[in-house]
Amino acid sequence: MKEFILTKQETERTILVGIITQAQNEAKANEYLDELAFLAETAGAEPVKKFLQRLEYPNPTTFVGAGKLQEIKTYIEENEIGLAIFDDDLTPKQLKNIEHELQVKILDRTSLILDIFAKRAQTAHAKSQVELAQYQYLLPRLTRLWTHLERQRGGIGMRGPGETQIETDRRIILDKIARLKVELKQIDKQKAIQRKNRGKMVRVALVGYTNVGKSTLMNLLSKSEVFAENKLFATLDTTVRKVIIDNLPFLLSDTVGFIRKLPTHLVESFKSTLDEVREADLLVHVVDISHPAFEEQIDIVNRTLHEVCGSADKPMIIVFNKTDAFSYIEKDADDLTPRTKENISLEELKTTWMAKMNDNCIFISAKEKQNIDELKEMLYNKVKEIHVTRFPYNDFLYQKYDDNDTSIEE
C-alpha cells in the first residue's frame, strides 16, 4: 500500500486554453489568460503554454475547433502535460469530449476557483460554504464520472448498472446539499446575532478585486495580523476588527475578494460573508492602481456589489493602492501615435480620478506605508459624518486627552 500514499505534492504542469470572440478581443483574451495563469499558480500548478483560438462562439462539443484540439493534444503528448485548464465554464458534454480526446485532467475556470477556495478555507464556516459550492457544481456533471458504467447500447442484456449508480450518487449529493444549507442557515443566524451584539457602532467594509491589498491595509489600520499574501483569494473568512482613529471608534471588516466571472455557486454559498458588505455604513473600495486593467476591475466590483449586495447606493471611497508598483511608458516628443493607457502617468490619474470622485478617493501604498495618515484622516471625517447623525450626543466617542495625538490605538 505504500506506493499509494503521497508524501510530497508535485507541481502539475498545465496548459491554458482560451478563445477570442467578438465580445473578447485578442488583448482581452491574453489578459484573461494571464489572470488564469495566476489562478493556476495559486492552486499549485505550473502553466507552461497558452493556447488561443479565434471563434465566433465556443464549439458546443469541444469548446475549441477540432484542429486546435489536435494541436493541443500533440503538445500535451510531446511535453508530458497532465492538466489542461480552460478559461470559460465547460458544459458536461464538452468536459466529457475533451477528456476523451486529450486523456488528461481537465478543469474549467469555476472548478479551478473552487479548488483554490477549498485549499484556502480555514474555518468550519468557510469549509461548509466551499463544500456546498463544490456539490452544486458537481451535480450536473455526475454523468461523466461514471462513463465506464453507463449504458452504451440498447437491447436486452445491455442495461448496465451505470444509471442506477448515477441516481444513487445524485441522491447522496442532494442530501449533502440540503444538510449543508441547514448548517449554513444556523451559522448565518449566529453571525446575525454577532453583528447585532456589536452595538450600533459605524461599520466600514473593505471591498475590492482579489489581490489588491485589502488584508494588508486591514493589518495596517487595525494593528492586527490578518493573513495576507500575494496570491488570489488569500482571505475567505470575513474578519472584523475594532479600529480607533483619534477619539472615534468604528468596526472595520475585511471581505473576500471579487473576480471576473465569479462562479454563481460561490456567490450563493458566500452570501453570509457578503452580509458584512450589505450591513456596512461605508464601503472602502481598494484598487490595485498598478494593474493594467484596474478600471475594468473597478467595474466588476461595482457590478457585483450592485447585483449581489444591493450596495450601489452606499457611501464609498476609493483607495488606490500599490502606488509603489505603478509604472508607465513615457512617449517620445516626436511620437505622434495616439496615447494609450500605458502612457498615462500617476499624476494624471490622480488629477482625473480626484476630479471624478469629488475627492472621495486617495492614492496610497499599504506596503510602503505611503499616504496612510491622509487615509486615516479621510476615514475619520467620513465615519464621523455618519456617527454624528446617528449619535448626536457623542455616544461611544472616547475622551480626547491630547489633541495632537492622532495615532490609532487598540
Side-chain angles (χ1 to χ4, degrees):
M1 290 295 290
K2 283 185 180 178
E3 62 269 22
F4 296 108
I5 300 172
L6 295 176
T7 55
K8 183 182 177 183
Q9 185 178 359
E10 294 183 5
T11 302
E12 292 183 90
R13 286 161 55 82
T14 182
I15 57 155
L16 311 175
V17 184
I19 56 172
I20 303 164
T21 62
Q22 291 180 344
Q24 183 173 290
N25 61 28
E26 187 172 354
K28 276 267 185 278
N30 273 304
E31 185 185 303
Y32 294 159
L33 281 189
D34 287 341
E35 184 175 86
L36 190 68
F38 199 1
L39 282 166
E41 288 167 4
T42 301
E46 179 193 353
V48 293
K49 189 172 175 62
K50 299 172 184 176
F51 289 90
L52 273 173
Q53 185 177 27
R54 194 179 298 274
L55 293 171
E56 284 188 27
Y57 51 85
N59 187 307
T61 55
T62 54
F63 187 73
V64 293
K68 179 60 72 173
L69 196 64
Q70 189 58 47
E71 180 190 337
I72 293 170
K73 182 180 180 181
T74 303
Y75 184 86
I76 283 172
E77 290 171 349
E78 290 175 353
N79 294 273
E80 297 182 353
I81 304 296
L83 174 65
I85 305 175
F86 289 72
D87 188 43
D88 291 285
D89 284 354
L90 300 174
T91 64
K93 183 179 180 181
Q94 287 171 331
L95 275 167
K96 181 179 176 181
N97 292 334
I98 295 168
E99 270 188 348
H100 181 264
E101 186 65 30
L102 300 183
Q103 295 295 307
V104 294
K105 186 163 61 176
I106 307 297
L107 293 179
D108 59 15
R109 188 181 180 86
T110 295
S111 56
L112 179 61
I113 292 173
L114 283 170
D115 185 78
I116 294 169
F117 269 55
K119 188 178 177 182
R120 294 287 186 180
Q122 298 295 322
T123 64
H125 187 202
K127 286 175 181 175
S128 296
Q129 288 171 320
V130 174
E131 193 179 352
L132 175 60
Q134 286 175 321
Y135 281 132
Q136 288 173 328
Y137 173 80
L138 181 64
L139 193 58
R141 293 165 174 81
L142 275 177
T143 50
R144 76 185 186 94
L145 302 177
W146 290 97
T147 50
H148 64 293
L149 293 177
E150 280 184 292
R151 186 173 63 208
Q152 300 296 327
R153 301 191 296 276
I156 297 171
M158 298 306 296
R159 294 182 177 87
E163 290 172 330
T164 306
Q165 182 63 58
I166 291 165
E167 287 304 317
T168 303
D169 282 1
R170 184 175 282 117
R171 191 160 50 251
I172 291 169
I173 287 179
L174 285 170
D175 288 344
K176 285 185 176 178
I177 287 173
R179 176 179 55 79
L180 285 166
K181 283 183 175 178
V182 170
E183 281 181 18
L184 286 170
K185 274 186 180 177
Q186 285 298 114
I187 295 172
D188 289 349
K189 285 180 182 177
Q190 292 169 8
K191 294 277 184 183
I193 291 168
Q194 285 174 7
R195 283 192 290 270
K196 212 172 185 180
N197 289 341
R198 289 175 197 153
K200 299 178 182 179
M201 291 177 69
V202 176
R203 298 178 189 175
V204 180
L206 296 173
V207 298
Y209 208 77
T210 183
N211 200 43
V212 294
K214 295 188 299 298
S215 297
T216 305
L217 188 58
M218 176 81 165
N219 288 337
L220 201 59
L221 292 173
S222 65
K223 293 184 179 179
S224 58
E225 293 298 325
V226 177
F227 180 68
E229 191 179 1
N230 186 29
K231 284 189 176 179
L232 301 180
F233 302 114
T235 305
L236 288 191
D237 289 293
T238 300
T239 308
V240 182
R241 294 286 184 270
K242 183 178 178 181
V243 175
I244 303 162
I245 300 180
D246 197 359
N247 67 327
L248 180 63
F250 60 92
L251 295 173
L252 182 66
S253 57
D254 181 18
T255 60
V256 64
F258 300 130
I259 196 168
R260 181 181 66 93
K261 299 179 186 175
L262 190 66
T264 311
H265 304 312
L266 280 178
V267 174
E268 288 297 313
S269 301
F270 277 75
K271 270 186 175 176
S272 60
T273 303
L274 297 169
D275 279 340
E276 290 291 347
V277 179
R278 285 193 196 93
E279 297 186 16
D281 301 298
L282 173 68
L283 299 181
V284 178
H285 185 169
V286 186
V287 178
D288 178 1
I289 190 68
S290 67
H291 196 284
F294 75 88
E295 287 175 316
E296 185 190 0
Q297 292 184 352
I298 291 173
D299 289 338
I300 289 166
V301 172
N302 286 337
R303 280 202 307 271
T304 308
L305 286 172
H306 180 69
E307 292 167 11
V308 179
C309 309
S311 303
D313 299 327
K314 287 185 182 292
M316 179 189 288
I317 62 174
I318 295 186
V319 176
F320 290 101
N321 190 24
K322 303 190 181 182
T323 53
D324 57 302
F326 181 85
S327 62
Y328 77 105
I329 303 167
E330 192 171 355
K331 280 174 66 71
D332 294 328
D334 56 350
D335 187 351
L336 301 179
T337 58
R339 286 205 315 168
T340 62
K341 288 191 292 185
E342 289 76 20
N343 304 131
I344 300 174
S345 69
L346 185 60
E347 288 306 314
E348 288 177 282
L349 284 172
K350 283 181 180 179
T351 305
T352 305
W353 278 95
M354 290 179 87
K356 183 178 177 181
M357 294 293 297
N358 296 319
D359 293 332
N360 284 328
C361 68
I362 190 167
F363 291 73
I364 70 161
S365 169
K367 184 180 176 183
E368 300 297 327
K369 299 182 180 178
Q370 295 171 359
N371 225 19
I372 300 302
D373 287 338
E374 288 79 359
L375 172 61
K376 290 176 185 176
E377 186 180 351
M378 178 182 276
L379 275 173
Y380 179 86
N381 292 331
K382 296 291 180 186
V383 172
K384 193 170 183 181
E385 281 178 25
I386 300 167
H387 186 94
V388 294
T389 57
R390 188 176 296 174
F391 307 112
Y393 301 106
N394 283 342
D395 296 30
F396 296 111
L397 285 185
Y398 288 177
Q399 179 66 43
K400 293 178 74 169
Y401 293 105
D402 183 1
D403 290 334
N404 298 318
D405 182 14
T406 57
S407 61
I408 293 182
E409 301 170 9
E410 282 294 311

